[in-house]
Amino acid sequence: MRRRTLLLAALGASAVAVPLAVIESRTDDAAPRNVVFALPDGYATCVAFSPDGKTLAAGLSGLQGTHSTLRLWDVAEGTSTAPWPDQIEDVAKLAFGPDGKTLATTGETLEVSLWNRADRTRIALPHPQLTLDLAFAPDGRTLATGCRDGAARLWDLPTRTVTATLTTQGMAVVNAVAFSPDGQTLATGSADLTESPVRLWDLRTRTVAATLVAPLWHGFKPVAFGPTGHIVATGSADNIVRLWNSVTGTVLTELTGHTGPVTTVAFSPDGDILATGGEDRTVRLWDTSTLDAVPIDTLTGHTDKVTSVAFSPEGKTLASAGLDGTVRLWPNR
């Protein structure tokens, strides 16, 4: 079994600063990676790699003053691009479009921002309630948003109109959305007081195709499809990561090890590894090929809640963000 490890050669034992973004080095790097950004306040809420893997984006929150809350870094160089000059609202979630030309963000305002990366212009999609999560469909023409009013909305991006509002009895605050790889299914996670807070929607009929039943009161926030679409991963407030069969809606296995609520989940591009982060300040890696309930690695270094994890497109690097004000890159071996 391949083992994933974190090597901190770049920082050295004397490093004491707490940067907002750290690129860790491996011992076999030709040159150490650098601290690319630092702030005395604020925290990182979300991270995402561009589709070509050359850029890492982070959404920030809790900053004092008028600092930009959307930052991008050149991964190879470990250098920060110029900050977005007009983005001063807190960013809660972000996602790159499949072609890498558009970056969608949402935060504390009643709208989703679609940013043109080339000229940094913005188009706003107004929402009746706060948007808590967003995801691009694989074809890039549709954006799904999860909202506080208990609905998931599908936006046709060429016309910037809502084509469907997905909601059903008992569905409350929608805090997670994710498309299947073929774009035919949308998973929604919500804060329902029911046994089925995760629903899989058939987007051809706009109806619920399956519900993922779990214990009451535990709720679900993060949800992700594996690259084949056959497996769905969810995290919950009961500290458990569950892997589900996306067709039958049955639990394949329960992954235990986190000692706090699970806040974020992400599959590696090949689907062999699931990364999860939690309020216990750790990132854990799981072997999904064996469905082993014991993590193959536990990555420590964050000193507060882990808010987001994301794999680079080639799968060699894992990014994590946290309330400790750091974004870290971990080699994935």
Side-chain angles (χ1 to χ4, degrees), residues 48-323:
F49 283 95
S50 60
D52 62 9
K54 295 180 179 180
T55 302
L56 176 70
L60 315 178
S61 186
L63 303 184
Q64 302 299 315
T66 58
H67 303 291
S68 174
T69 55
L70 179 59
R71 299 297 173 109
L72 277 70
W73 293 274
D74 182 304
V75 174
E77 299 296 328
T79 55
S80 176
T81 64
W84 247 248
D86 298 326
Q87 177 60 24
I88 60 174
E89 303 292 346
D90 288 356
V91 174
K93 297 288 183 177
L94 59 79
F96 282 97
D99 63 3
K101 296 179 180 179
T102 303
L103 184 63
T105 64
T106 186
E108 61 184 15
T109 60
L110 299 182
E111 62 187 23
V112 169
S113 295
L114 300 176
W115 297 91
N116 183 312
R117 287 184 62 195
D119 59 15
R120 301 193 174 187
T121 55
R122 183 179 78 97
I123 295 172
L125 303 179
H127 278 65
Q129 288 284 336
L130 285 178
T131 300
L132 302 178
D133 199 13
L134 47 79
F136 283 94
D139 64 6
R141 292 181 54 88
T142 302
L143 183 77
T145 58
C147 299
R148 191 176 293 278
D149 61 358
R153 291 174 172 82
L154 299 178
W155 292 80
D156 178 69
L157 293 181
T159 62
R160 300 195 291 277
T161 57
V162 175
T163 59
T165 299
L166 307 179
T167 189
T168 190
Q169 184 175 3
M171 193 167 170
V173 176
V174 179
N175 43 37
V177 291
F179 280 98
S180 61
D182 63 6
Q184 299 299 311
T185 304
L186 181 74
T188 59
S190 59
D192 299 6
L193 301 183
T194 71
E195 291 187 344
S196 55
V198 173
R199 297 173 176 85
L200 304 182
W201 297 80
D202 184 332
L203 296 183
R204 292 162 294 192
T205 62
R206 310 292 171 83
T207 59
V208 176
T211 57
L212 309 186
V213 179
L216 283 170
W217 301 104
H218 290 150
F220 287 84
K221 291 188 178 179
V223 58
F225 278 94
T228 66
H230 298 147
I231 296 178
V232 175
T234 60
S236 119
D238 62 1
N239 310 346
I240 296 176
V241 179
R242 292 175 175 85
L243 297 181
W244 308 76
N245 182 305
S246 63
V247 176
T248 64
T250 56
V251 175
L252 298 173
T253 189
E254 294 186 345
L255 308 178
T256 58
H258 281 288
T259 58
V262 180
T263 55
T264 178
V265 295
F267 283 94
S268 62
D270 62 10
D272 288 345
I273 301 298
L274 177 72
T276 62
E279 292 188 10
D280 60 1
R281 308 176 182 182
T282 69
V283 175
R284 296 175 192 258
L285 303 180
W286 313 83
D287 187 341
T288 57
S289 64
T290 63
L291 299 182
D292 192 343
V294 178
I296 59 175
D297 218 338
T298 299
L299 309 180
T300 59
H302 284 288
T303 59
D304 205 336
K305 170 183 172 180
V306 177
T307 56
S308 180
V309 291
F311 280 98
S312 59
E314 82 291 341
K316 294 181 179 179
T317 305
L318 175 71
S320 62
L323 294 187

